[in-house]
mmCIF file of all heavy atoms in Angstrom:
data_model
loop_
_atom_site.group_PDB
_atom_site.id
_atom_site.type_symbol
_atom_site.label_atom_id
_atom_site.label_comp_id
_atom_site.label_asym_id
_atom_site.label_seq_id
_atom_site.Cartn_x
_atom_site.Cartn_y
_atom_site.Cartn_z
ATOM 1 N N ASN A 52 46.618 -1.467 -11.862
ATOM 2 C CA ASN A 52 47.587 -2.527 -11.591
ATOM 3 C C ASN A 52 47.681 -3.539 -12.731
ATOM 4 O O ASN A 52 48.550 -4.410 -12.728
ATOM 5 C CB ASN A 52 47.229 -3.257 -10.300
ATOM 6 C CG ASN A 52 47.400 -2.363 -9.088
ATOM 7 O OD1 ASN A 52 48.379 -1.612 -8.996
ATOM 8 N ND2 ASN A 52 46.445 -2.396 -8.186
ATOM 9 N N ILE A 69 47.121 -8.292 -25.553
ATOM 10 C CA ILE A 69 48.233 -8.306 -24.594
ATOM 11 C C ILE A 69 47.704 -7.922 -23.222
ATOM 12 O O ILE A 69 46.853 -7.055 -23.108
ATOM 13 C CB ILE A 69 49.337 -7.306 -25.021
ATOM 14 C CG1 ILE A 69 49.989 -7.767 -26.325
ATOM 15 C CG2 ILE A 69 50.400 -7.170 -23.926
ATOM 16 C CD1 ILE A 69 51.048 -6.791 -26.861
ATOM 17 N N ALA A 70 48.236 -8.563 -22.193
ATOM 18 C CA ALA A 70 47.938 -8.212 -20.810
ATOM 19 C C ALA A 70 49.241 -7.829 -20.110
ATOM 20 O O ALA A 70 50.257 -8.489 -20.288
ATOM 21 C CB ALA A 70 47.278 -9.377 -20.081
ATOM 22 N N LEU A 71 49.188 -6.761 -19.344
ATOM 23 C CA LEU A 71 50.364 -6.246 -18.637
ATOM 24 C C LEU A 71 50.054 -6.201 -17.153
ATOM 25 O O LEU A 71 48.993 -5.698 -16.745
ATOM 26 C CB LEU A 71 50.716 -4.842 -19.130
ATOM 27 C CG LEU A 71 50.998 -4.703 -20.622
ATOM 28 C CD1 LEU A 71 50.905 -3.247 -21.045
ATOM 29 C CD2 LEU A 71 52.382 -5.250 -20.947
ATOM 30 N N TYR A 72 50.986 -6.679 -16.335
ATOM 31 C CA TYR A 72 50.700 -6.811 -14.906
ATOM 32 C C TYR A 72 51.667 -6.075 -13.998
ATOM 33 O O TYR A 72 51.464 -6.045 -12.780
ATOM 34 C CB TYR A 72 50.693 -8.290 -14.518
ATOM 35 C CG TYR A 72 49.669 -9.104 -15.259
ATOM 36 C CD1 TYR A 72 50.056 -9.969 -16.288
ATOM 37 C CD2 TYR A 72 48.326 -9.002 -14.955
ATOM 38 C CE1 TYR A 72 49.105 -10.716 -16.979
ATOM 39 C CE2 TYR A 72 47.374 -9.749 -15.640
ATOM 40 C CZ TYR A 72 47.777 -10.603 -16.649
ATOM 41 O OH TYR A 72 46.833 -11.337 -17.334
ATOM 42 N N LYS A 73 52.714 -5.481 -14.570
ATOM 43 C CA LYS A 73 53.739 -4.885 -13.732
ATOM 44 C C LYS A 73 54.214 -3.573 -14.325
ATOM 45 O O LYS A 73 54.468 -3.495 -15.545
ATOM 46 C CB LYS A 73 54.910 -5.858 -13.626
ATOM 47 C CG LYS A 73 55.990 -5.466 -12.651
ATOM 48 C CD LYS A 73 57.059 -6.554 -12.610
ATOM 49 C CE LYS A 73 58.212 -6.171 -11.691
ATOM 50 N NZ LYS A 73 59.262 -7.216 -11.672
ATOM 51 N N ALA A 74 54.348 -2.552 -13.489
ATOM 52 C CA ALA A 74 54.809 -1.253 -13.969
ATOM 53 C C ALA A 74 56.151 -1.392 -14.657
ATOM 54 O O ALA A 74 57.061 -2.056 -14.142
ATOM 55 C CB ALA A 74 54.914 -0.277 -12.797
ATOM 56 N N GLY A 75 56.253 -0.773 -15.821
ATOM 57 C CA GLY A 75 57.478 -0.849 -16.602
ATOM 58 C C GLY A 75 57.553 -2.047 -17.520
ATOM 59 O O GLY A 75 58.426 -2.131 -18.390
ATOM 60 N N GLU A 76 56.641 -2.964 -17.377
ATOM 61 C CA GLU A 76 56.668 -4.203 -18.175
ATOM 62 C C GLU A 76 56.490 -3.899 -19.654
ATOM 63 O O GLU A 76 55.700 -3.050 -20.032
ATOM 64 C CB GLU A 76 55.545 -5.122 -17.686
ATOM 65 C CG GLU A 76 55.433 -6.454 -18.414
ATOM 66 C CD GLU A 76 54.286 -7.293 -17.890
ATOM 67 O OE1 GLU A 76 53.644 -6.895 -16.888
ATOM 68 O OE2 GLU A 76 53.999 -8.348 -18.484
ATOM 69 N N LEU A 77 57.251 -4.609 -20.452
ATOM 70 C CA LEU A 77 57.169 -4.504 -21.911
ATOM 71 C C LEU A 77 56.886 -5.906 -22.434
ATOM 72 O O LEU A 77 57.661 -6.831 -22.186
ATOM 73 C CB LEU A 77 58.489 -3.979 -22.469
ATOM 74 C CG LEU A 77 58.537 -3.582 -23.947
ATOM 75 C CD1 LEU A 77 57.740 -2.312 -24.167
ATOM 76 C CD2 LEU A 77 59.986 -3.356 -24.374
ATOM 77 N N THR A 78 55.777 -6.060 -23.135
ATOM 78 C CA THR A 78 55.369 -7.392 -23.590
ATOM 79 C C THR A 78 55.037 -7.362 -25.069
ATOM 80 O O THR A 78 54.401 -6.420 -25.541
ATOM 81 C CB THR A 78 54.138 -7.873 -22.797
ATOM 82 O OG1 THR A 78 54.474 -7.973 -21.415
ATOM 83 C CG2 THR A 78 53.673 -9.240 -23.280
ATOM 84 N N ALA A 85 53.401 -3.879 -26.173
ATOM 85 C CA ALA A 85 52.704 -2.984 -25.260
ATOM 86 C C ALA A 85 53.572 -2.746 -24.032
ATOM 87 O O ALA A 85 54.355 -3.603 -23.631
ATOM 88 C CB ALA A 85 51.360 -3.566 -24.838
ATOM 89 N N GLN A 86 53.419 -1.578 -23.467
ATOM 90 C CA GLN A 86 54.194 -1.234 -22.277
ATOM 91 C C GLN A 86 53.287 -0.714 -21.188
ATOM 92 O O GLN A 86 52.348 0.053 -21.443
ATOM 93 C CB GLN A 86 55.264 -0.186 -22.595
ATOM 94 C CG GLN A 86 56.145 0.136 -21.395
ATOM 95 C CD GLN A 86 57.443 0.822 -21.756
ATOM 96 O OE1 GLN A 86 57.533 1.454 -22.806
ATOM 97 N NE2 GLN A 86 58.434 0.707 -20.902
ATOM 98 N N PHE A 87 53.585 -1.122 -19.988
ATOM 99 C CA PHE A 87 52.885 -0.670 -18.775
ATOM 100 C C PHE A 87 53.663 0.543 -18.270
ATOM 101 O O PHE A 87 54.815 0.424 -17.874
ATOM 102 C CB PHE A 87 52.944 -1.805 -17.751
ATOM 103 C CG PHE A 87 52.037 -1.652 -16.560
ATOM 104 C CD1 PHE A 87 51.359 -2.751 -16.083
ATOM 105 C CD2 PHE A 87 51.907 -0.451 -15.893
ATOM 106 C CE1 PHE A 87 50.549 -2.666 -14.964
ATOM 107 C CE2 PHE A 87 51.090 -0.347 -14.787
ATOM 108 C CZ PHE A 87 50.413 -1.456 -14.313
ATOM 109 N N GLY A 88 53.036 1.707 -18.301
ATOM 110 C CA GLY A 88 53.738 2.931 -17.925
ATOM 111 C C GLY A 88 54.222 2.898 -16.489
ATOM 112 O O GLY A 88 53.556 2.341 -15.608
ATOM 113 N N ILE A 89 55.353 3.527 -16.251
ATOM 114 C CA ILE A 89 55.984 3.488 -14.935
ATOM 115 C C ILE A 89 55.144 4.191 -13.869
ATOM 116 O O ILE A 89 55.220 3.868 -12.680
ATOM 117 C CB ILE A 89 57.405 4.073 -15.014
ATOM 118 C CG1 ILE A 89 58.240 3.618 -13.821
ATOM 119 C CG2 ILE A 89 57.361 5.573 -15.146
ATOM 120 C CD1 ILE A 89 58.630 2.188 -13.887
ATOM 121 N N SER A 94 49.544 3.453 -20.576
ATOM 122 C CA SER A 94 50.049 2.278 -21.276
ATOM 123 C C SER A 94 50.130 2.623 -22.757
ATOM 124 O O SER A 94 49.422 3.516 -23.242
ATOM 125 C CB SER A 94 49.131 1.076 -21.053
ATOM 126 O OG SER A 94 49.634 -0.064 -21.728
ATOM 127 N N PHE A 95 50.998 1.918 -23.447
ATOM 128 C CA PHE A 95 51.242 2.201 -24.851
ATOM 129 C C PHE A 95 51.177 0.918 -25.665
ATOM 130 O O PHE A 95 51.562 -0.150 -25.187
ATOM 131 C CB PHE A 95 52.627 2.839 -25.037
ATOM 132 C CG PHE A 95 52.864 4.018 -24.141
ATOM 133 C CD1 PHE A 95 53.399 3.846 -22.864
ATOM 134 C CD2 PHE A 95 52.532 5.294 -24.552
ATOM 135 C CE1 PHE A 95 53.599 4.925 -22.020
ATOM 136 C CE2 PHE A 95 52.735 6.380 -23.722
ATOM 137 C CZ PHE A 95 53.271 6.199 -22.448
#
Side-chain angles (χ1 to χ4, degrees):
Chain A
N52 293 318
I69 294 177
L71 302 162
Y72 300 105
K73 187 178 177 181
E76 180 181 354
L77 190 71
T78 298
Q86 183 162 24
F87 193 139
I89 200 72
S94 180
F95 309 89

